[in-house]
Every structure is written in structure tokens, then in C-alpha cells.
Amino acid sequence: MAERRIHLLSEVTANQIAAGEVVERPASALKELIENSLDAGANQIDVRIRGGGKSSIEVIDNGCGMGKEDALLCLERHATSKIRTAEDLYAIGSYGFRGEALPSIASVSRFILQTRVSEEPIGHEVFVEGGRIRSVKEVGMPVGTRVEVRHLFFNTPARQKFLRSRETESAHIERVLLYFGLAHPEVGFSIQHDEGNVKRWLAGQTLEQRLRTIFGETWLQQVISVSKKNEVFELTGYIGRPGVSRPDRHEEILFVNRRVVENRAFHFGIMEGYQNALMKGQYPVAILNLTTHPSQYDVNIHPAKKEIRFRDELAVRRFVVEAIRDALSQFVSQTKGGSGVIEVGLAHDKSADFAIKGNQLGAANPTGAAHREHSVPLKLAVPIECFESKKEKTEGNILASEGWSQSPVIQHCGTSKEIEGMRILGVVARLYIVAENSRGLVLIDQHAAHERVLFEKLMSEYEKKAVNVQSLLFPITLQVTPLEQEFIRVQREGLHAVGLMIHEFGSGVFMVDGLPAVICAPATEAWVREVLHDLQNEGGETRRQRKLSEEVIVRVACRRAVKANDLLNEEACEKLLRDLLACNLPYCCPHGRPTMIQISLNELERKFGRAV
């Protein structure tokens, strides 16, 4: 008789394996516990942490609580109040539904559950150690539930050794609390680490009030609201103003039905919505919630429910793109005259750093915190040219082709005309135009500003007529990889549609014999390869075509725009400012860098000791 090699795992072992999927670290356990509290209808959730969560995690809520039988049953695998049949998985309106979280956590910790319902005068306590119930007793307590998780992974040392320092685990816990605090501003939260101070977010707040509490007023001034709805989706929240970006995605927090998620369609919709208002390698500031019927997505594809899959990913992406662009367009239309210029400080104050760094949350100055990126030293190393008469001339300047006057320099200080509430005062370092408005000083980067003006002009011409193709006297030959060959073959019609004429020349060899006529300088093989590489890594044919047209036009605009040290006269400065303010997106160049920054009168007064 053959030896038996297959056997059933014990319930404790099965729960410990499940815990490996659901509970990665203390923050994972906290997430599951808070989700249960929210599903129980709590409007106040208090968290106490010891040793970064490795010693203990305590969550107390004022939700509906449980009776004795439910308190015991919730510790069994696959016991849940959220679903009854498989069909319910396609209309999940709650956070927890698998019934694995509590038994999994209890199997790798010393677990105390105390709970009471309003119909009973007394509560019940269940103590579980390593997945085995050790005691059940009555306990006096208010309505709600208290869960304490002690010594997480005490019986699985291999898992325990992968935990990081107390500070790192605390940072992950803060991040989890941040997500729930933003998803549910109406719910009050508090957290205490060891014996430290208690951080509180009051119940009954709006999202704007919660953002102000967490990040501070200065951060809130750097974002704009988003609100769009159709018959399937609704998107609400806040995104960064044009010119505001971050080097990573830590301030891109995305919710679907108030569940924090990862989803490529959602993310790329935001990136595409910003279009040419975001620097390469930078990420947007975005705190957004997409509301839709649960049948539109599947949250059951990841054990910890971190990722979701939409039934129609393309529809989601298109909707998000439209919502982002509508918000940016509305912001620009409401801030004509420069009122939407990014405000910066004259010197960096480390005590004002806000909030999210890596996985950490917290503002040193919650009423007026400022982000490092928008609080930088301003050094006027070169004196402001107060428009004194000079004999210097701008030779070969692009201004001539734009119909701008090229008289030497501005002759009188402060005689400029007012342009939509802004008046030009001078130029710093032959690069930054200095203007004033009702809020204080405005600095305009002449190169970035001219890039934006040229880009929108050329883009408008591109969208109004078919692309003119210019044949190359010396075609560009490319030796490509098999993957690149397949990409070019599949996308050839789309590439031709935007003026990139590329043909197969032989085995693994392609020839480019025509480019969009808007290119005013010879393109190199390296340039063509870079464009093809960028397009190959984009998603969707429409996006690829738009990316190609923008890539060409951005490079043309950058090449033709005025540079640093190009000396602009008074008329040139006025024309540049007027043209910039007439743009659809005047606050950043096509690369996403700010074109203008604001230094407020209050900031100046503080620097001169006139205000605190």
C-alpha cells in the first residue's frame, strides 16, 4: 500500500498560513481591526500602540458591538456577517468580508476581544493565545468593541525577525491611520504611541477640515478641489495645483468607495490628466475618492485587498482624465491675473515641514505647515535691473520672429502697464521677471513662460489641421530589438498619423524618412529612439498619439524659447506676461516646472520684522 503523503493541516496551522497573507506587520493587523470598527458603525476609534505595535496594538470603538455567540464565532475562519453567497462578492459594500482577519491575527498573537451590544447590560471577553481560546468571561464596558493584540508573531519567530525597528513599524501604523482618517473625515480618530502625547482628529469633519488638521493651511493652499460625476462614476477630492509635484507617490492616495487601493487605470488617469503640467520623474499630489457601484470592480484579487480590478479599466481611466483636466481648467479660469501662482517662502524653516515623508505622518506646525519643495532660499545674487538705459542688444533672439520689439532694455523703473492686475518692475539675473500684484511679488521664469506660450500655440495649430510631414534628405536608420519591431509594426498607422514616417527596411532594421514639419532642427537617431521608447511604455493608442505629438511640440518649444541671459526689453516682458496669462495652463511649463511663483506681502513683512 502506498505511503500517504497528503494530510489535512490543523486549524491553528491553517490560520497561521492565512495570517502570512493578511498580516504582514503590525500595521496590517491595525488595518483589519479599524476596518471592523468602521463596518460596525463606529464614529470614534481610539488606537494605542506599544513598541511600534510589536508589543501591543489596542483598538477601541463605539460601534454596535457583538453578543457572546458572535464574539466566539468571529474567531472561526470564514465566519462573516458581510456576505452569505458567492454572488454577494460582486456587490461588496463593506471593508471586511472573508472572515479571515480576526482568526488569523489571533493565531499569531495573544489576543483579547471585549465587546458589548446595547441590548445587554454587560459585555464579554474572549482571550485567545496562539489560536487557542484560553478563557471566556463577562466584563463591564460601554457599548462597542475593544481589541488588544499582544506580542504579534510570538509563536512564529521566523516571521517576527522580519519586523523592522519600532520607529519604522510606527511609521507604517501612522500611514494606515492616515488612510482611514482621510477616507472617513466624519469619524473621530486618536492614536497614542507608548506613553507619548495623544494625537486626535475630531469627529464630524469635512475632508477639507481633516486635510487642514493633518497637513496645515499652507498645504491646503497648494491644492484644488476635484468634483465630477456621470451615470457610473463620481470622483471627489483634491489634487495639486499646476506646478506642484513630488518626487514619489507618497502623496498620491487613491480610494475607491473610501477603500484605499492600488489600480493602474486610476493612477495613469491622473498622470494623463495632468498631461504637460507635470515634470518628468515627478508625481502628482492627489487625494481622491472614486465612488461607483461595487459591481463595477473586484476587490477580491489580493489577500489583503490592496489592489482592485475594474470591469472596464479604460472607462475609469477616461473618466479620471476628464475629471483632472476639468479641475485644472476651472482653476485656471478662476485665477486669471496670477492669483493662482504658487506661493513660496523666502527661507526654509525646518520646523514647518509637513507630513508625509516615506511612511511617516505628522506636521510640526499643523496650523501652518509648509512643504520643503515650496519653501526654498531665494538669493538675489544679481541686482535687479531697474530698467536703466543700456546699449546691450539681443542678437539672434527668437523675439524677432515673434514680432517683439528688440530695443536694448527698459528705460524707466515702474512705468510698465498693468496686465491683469500685475505690473512689471524689473528683471533678476536676466532670467526672472519681477512683477507685483495685490498679494506681493511675483517672479516669472522667462524661459519656462515662453515655453508654455510656444507650446500652446504649436499644439493649437497641430489640433486644428492634419500634420504636415517633412521628408528627410538623409533618412534615419534604426536597428531595433524583436519587441521594438512588434511595437512599430502594430503601431505604424498611429505613428504615421502624427507624422513619424517609419518603414521596415530589412530584418530588424527600420528607416525613418519623414518627421512632423514642426521640427525646426534635424532630429537625431537618439532622439527618435527616445521618443519610441517613451511611446512603447505608455498605455493605449490614443495616449501614444497624444504623447508623440506633445513630445515633438515640447522639444520644439524648448528649443525656440528665450533662454537665461536673453535680455528682454519692456515690450518683450509685457508681451510675454500677457501671452502667458492668456494660456490655458499658464502656471507651469510643458515640462511641469512652475512658470511663476508668488512671494506674499506677509512673507516680506515677516522677513523685515514688521510681522510675526
Side-chain angles (χ1 to χ4, degrees), residues 367-424:
T367 60
H371 193 280
R372 184 182 302 272
E373 182 173 336
H374 301 302
S375 184
V376 296
L378 177 68
K379 298 180 180 179
L380 305 183
V382 180
I384 294 179
E385 298 171 3
C386 290
F387 313 145
E388 301 285 341
S389 295
K390 291 187 180 179
K391 294 183 179 179
E392 301 175 59
K393 296 183 178 179
T394 52
E395 297 183 4
N397 198 300
I398 190 63
L399 302 180
S401 63
E402 293 294 312
W404 290 0
S405 171
Q406 285 191 316
S407 57
V409 288
I410 300 175
Q411 297 179 350
H412 301 288
C413 182
T415 61
S416 294
K417 303 180 181 113
E418 186 171 291
I419 302 171
E420 295 195 35
M422 299 175 66
R423 187 166 65 90
I424 294 172

Side-chain angles (χ1 to χ4, degrees), residues 226 235 238-254 262-288 316-326 328 452 455 534 537-539 543-544 546-547 550 585 588-592:
V226 175
L235 188 67
Y238 291 84
I239 60 173
R241 291 183 177 189
V244 175
S245 61
R246 301 290 184 257
D248 53 43
R249 290 183 59 190
H250 283 118
E251 285 179 64
E252 183 186 281
I253 305 175
L254 310 180
E262 287 284 342
N263 178 263
R264 288 174 59 86
F266 201 165
H267 166 69
F268 283 118
I270 297 171
M271 299 291 286
E272 188 174 342
Y274 269 92
Q275 200 169 349
N276 52 75
L278 202 62
M279 284 188 285
K280 188 174 183 179
Q282 293 285 298
Y283 296 89
V285 173
I287 297 175
L288 296 169
V316 172
R317 182 166 177 163
R318 286 173 175 167
F319 176 75
V320 173
V321 169
E322 292 175 4
I324 299 301
R325 290 185 179 171
D326 287 352
L328 293 173
R452 168 53 61 179
F455 174 80
D534 287 345
N537 285 280
E538 293 294 331
R543 172 59 177 162
R544 290 189 183 107
R546 183 182 297 114
K547 174 69 176 177
E550 289 179 4
L585 198 60
C588 61
C589 76
H591 304 291

Side-chain angles (χ1 to χ4, degrees), residues 221-238:
Q221 291 172 356
Q222 305 300 321
V223 297
I224 58 178
S225 64
V226 175
S227 180
K228 187 176 179 65
K229 185 177 182 179
N230 65 14
E231 62 277 6
V232 180
F233 304 110
E234 180 178 11
L235 188 67
T236 57
Y238 291 84

Side-chain angles (χ1 to χ4, degrees), residues 462 466-472 474-478 480 484 487-504 510-519 521-536 544-553 555:
Y462 166 81
V467 175
N468 292 320
V469 178
Q470 179 176 331
S471 298
L472 299 181
F474 300 102
I476 299 171
T477 302
L478 302 175
V480 298
E484 290 170 332
F487 168 75
I488 294 172
R489 287 168 183 158
V490 172
Q491 299 298 331
R492 186 178 304 166
E493 290 186 11
L495 295 172
H496 287 182
V498 293
L500 185 55
M501 311 307 293
I502 185 167
H503 308 279
E504 193 159 2
F510 285 79
M511 182 177 67
V512 180
D513 57 10
L515 292 172
V518 291
I519 297 179
T524 64
E525 178 185 344
W527 181 86
V528 174
R529 286 188 180 278
E530 183 181 345
V531 171
L532 289 173
H533 179 267
D534 287 345
L535 298 173
Q536 193 173 1
R544 290 189 183 107
Q545 293 185 24
R546 183 182 297 114
K547 174 69 176 177
L548 179 59
S549 62
E550 289 179 4
E551 182 72 24
V552 172
I553 292 174
R555 289 177 178 273

